[in-house]
Amino acid sequence: MPSMQIQESKGGRGISCDFTTPAHPTAPSPHVGGSSSTIHTPGSQVTSPRDTSIHHQPVPAGWFSAIDLELLHHFTTSTCFTFSSEPMVRNFWRVNVPRMGFSFEYVLRGVLSLAALHLSRFKPQRRDSLIEQAIVHHNASSSMALPVLNDLTSQNSVPIFFFSMLTTYIAFASPKESDNLLLISNGAMPEWLFLFRGMRSVIELNSDAIHSIMSLNFIFDSGRQLNIFWETTTPPEHEGLKELECTLKTHVKDAQKLGELLHAIDSLKRSFIFFHSTSYTDDQRLRAAFMWLFKVREEFVKLLKIQDSEAYCVLAYFCVLLQRLDYTWWIEGWGVHLIGRIYSALNEGYRLWIRWPIEEIGWVP
């Protein structure tokens, strides 16, 4: 699955993107019919029943195939309900986002890509072909969105925001292979962290345009309320993070670097609040976990980019929150997967620093 970085452009209100090319050959277009399968008999060729399937009929250029219609149906009857338990939010994903896709094809392609990844979980016999469809649609979606990201206007700010959300979900939902294309180089840093940072840039650079859409207020209100709580609440001491904090203060001599690491830890403490009480909803826990991705400073992200061991140790504690969100289909498995990648990237000394998250997750090195 190709990956995308969305970062604030220094030259204006555009968002610069880096797309990486998949290591495997690009999957065939969904608009091209499958190869013919025939049964040879003396003097003739008889088309096999498999060829008569609607999924294998050639489709005129510019038309959507039957599989695309199946994916859109799956999104509006199943996938859309997995993003939130709030009825208004669910209805927005079910009705408004696909309708938005009819005007902005990169949104529709993102919808189809994510639906294909979701459907592949329930159709093991079709898993490979559905993942192939997801790659095709994501490639198309990204190619269409790239020029728009470099020249954002008030008209396309909202569709680009939802394109960014869909792309982040796709990054999470993609298969976690040992050579995962969503991992930068050979390090442990997942691409979805940069995608979340990119979404923040889209919001910050176009907040007036996005928030001016009255129909979106209910989506942002919960986040605004959580942000107020986040900023005004003093988090209680956290046993595991306190130990890491003390270790960092002892070993990190660079005052500026230490400040960035401690800020990231303080933000994690605020996220953990929502997981230590039954008074919060699943939606609030999800928002609280990913609030950390928005709140960490850019200098901390730069440390992760250069595969800094101390920053990786802080990221390991975030894996605990991912593990506690394992009931969410597109997050499932990421806590274990990411802690394993971090462990592999650290030397023996630093591996002792992350014993708490390893044991909390229940992962065995």
Side-chain angles (χ1 to χ4, degrees):
M1 184 74 66
S3 57
M4 181 189 72
Q5 295 181 25
I6 311 175
Q7 297 175 335
E8 181 174 348
S9 172
K10 295 180 180 180
R13 294 176 61 83
I15 306 296
S16 63
C17 296
D18 295 326
F19 291 81
T20 60
T21 304
H24 48 74
T26 303
S29 167
H31 304 313
V32 180
S35 58
S36 176
S37 174
T38 58
I39 301 174
H40 295 276
T41 60
S44 68
Q45 282 189 336
V46 180
T47 302
S48 72
R50 187 174 68 84
D51 255 359
T52 63
S53 166
I54 60 173
H55 298 311
H56 292 84
Q57 295 301 308
V59 179
W63 286 41
F64 281 92
S65 66
I67 182 63
D68 295 332
L69 297 179
E70 179 189 13
L71 294 177
L72 183 59
H73 175 266
H74 181 75
F75 184 88
T76 57
T77 59
S78 181
T79 309
C80 65
F81 299 114
T82 67
F83 302 138
S84 174
S85 60
E86 299 174 10
M88 289 281 286
V89 176
R90 285 181 163 187
N91 283 334
F92 189 88
W93 278 103
R94 182 176 62 88
V95 178
N96 297 59
V97 172
R99 185 168 59 198
M100 187 186 304
F102 300 144
S103 299
F104 302 91
E105 190 173 346
Y106 53 83
V107 174
L108 183 59
R109 296 284 188 175
V111 163
L112 297 179
S113 178
L114 187 57
L117 291 171
H118 188 225
L119 185 59
S120 71
R121 298 169 61 85
F122 305 98
K123 304 289 184 181
Q125 71 278 14
R126 297 172 56 196
R127 181 178 183 273
D128 291 344
S129 64
L130 286 167
I131 290 175
E132 184 179 89
Q133 291 293 322
I135 293 172
V136 168
H137 284 300
H138 183 56
N139 283 342
S141 175
S142 300
S143 298
M144 294 173 188
L146 178 57
V148 182
L149 283 161
N150 290 327
D151 187 25
L152 278 176
T153 65
S154 58
Q155 182 181 6
N156 55 39
S157 294
V158 172
I160 281 294
F161 170 74
F162 282 97
F163 162 80
S164 301
M165 289 188 69
L166 287 164
T167 303
T168 305
Y169 290 148
I170 291 167
F172 268 104
S174 298
K176 305 172 193 64
E177 308 296 346
S178 58
D179 58 345
N180 196 328
L181 296 175
L182 297 172
L183 295 172
I184 294 177
S185 302
N186 294 317
M189 190 61 204
E191 187 68 5
W192 41 253
L193 192 149
F194 295 112
L195 294 172
F196 263 91
R197 303 290 292 180
M199 251 197 320
R200 188 183 73 165
S201 296
V202 171
I203 294 173
E204 289 177 347
L205 291 172
N206 303 275
S207 59
D208 291 342
I210 292 175
H211 292 300
S212 67
I213 308 297
M214 294 303 295
S215 63
L216 297 184
N217 282 346
F218 65 92
I219 291 179
F220 293 102
D221 278 345
S222 297
R224 281 193 288 263
Q225 293 171 14
L226 186 144
N227 185 65
I228 293 172
F229 177 84
W230 180 285
E231 297 289 353
T232 58
T233 302
T234 301
E237 200 59 73
H238 185 281
E239 180 182 354
L241 287 169
K242 181 179 181 180
E243 181 180 346
L244 177 62
E245 197 171 14
C246 292
T247 304
L248 288 171
K249 288 179 179 178
T250 301
H251 291 85
V252 179
K253 305 305 179 185
D254 184 326
Q256 182 177 357
K257 176 181 176 180
L258 178 61
E260 298 302 328
L261 295 171
L262 295 180
H263 177 269
I265 289 176
D266 181 73
S267 295
L268 267 179
K269 290 178 183 177
R270 297 171 190 269
S271 288
F272 270 102
I273 292 175
F274 292 83
F275 291 82
H276 290 161
S277 171
T278 58
S279 60
Y280 299 106
T281 66
D282 288 345
D283 283 10
Q284 288 174 320
R285 291 190 179 93
L286 182 64
R287 289 193 183 99
F290 292 112
M291 181 73 77
W292 183 75
L293 298 178
F294 283 93
K295 291 293 186 178
V296 291
R297 295 169 179 163
E298 195 59 36
E299 290 304 316
F300 178 77
V301 176
K302 290 179 181 177
L303 291 173
L304 292 173
K305 286 182 179 180
I306 63 173
Q307 302 181 25
D308 180 83
S309 295
E310 285 91 354
Y312 271 7
C313 289
V314 176
L315 182 63
Y317 282 71
F318 179 68
C319 294
V320 175
L321 300 185
L322 291 177
Q323 178 65 17
R324 293 180 181 177
L325 294 170
D326 211 48
Y327 54 82
T328 305
W329 73 271
W330 46 276
I331 298 177
E332 183 181 357
W334 264 108
V336 170
H337 182 72
L338 186 54
I339 196 72
R341 296 291 298 188
I342 292 171
Y343 185 87
S344 298
L346 298 175
N347 63 34
E348 289 296 335
Y350 282 113
R351 287 174 179 176
L352 294 174
W353 292 26
I354 62 171
R355 287 307 308 174
W356 185 84
I358 287 175
E359 293 168 0
E360 192 72 12
I361 291 172
W363 179 71
V364 179

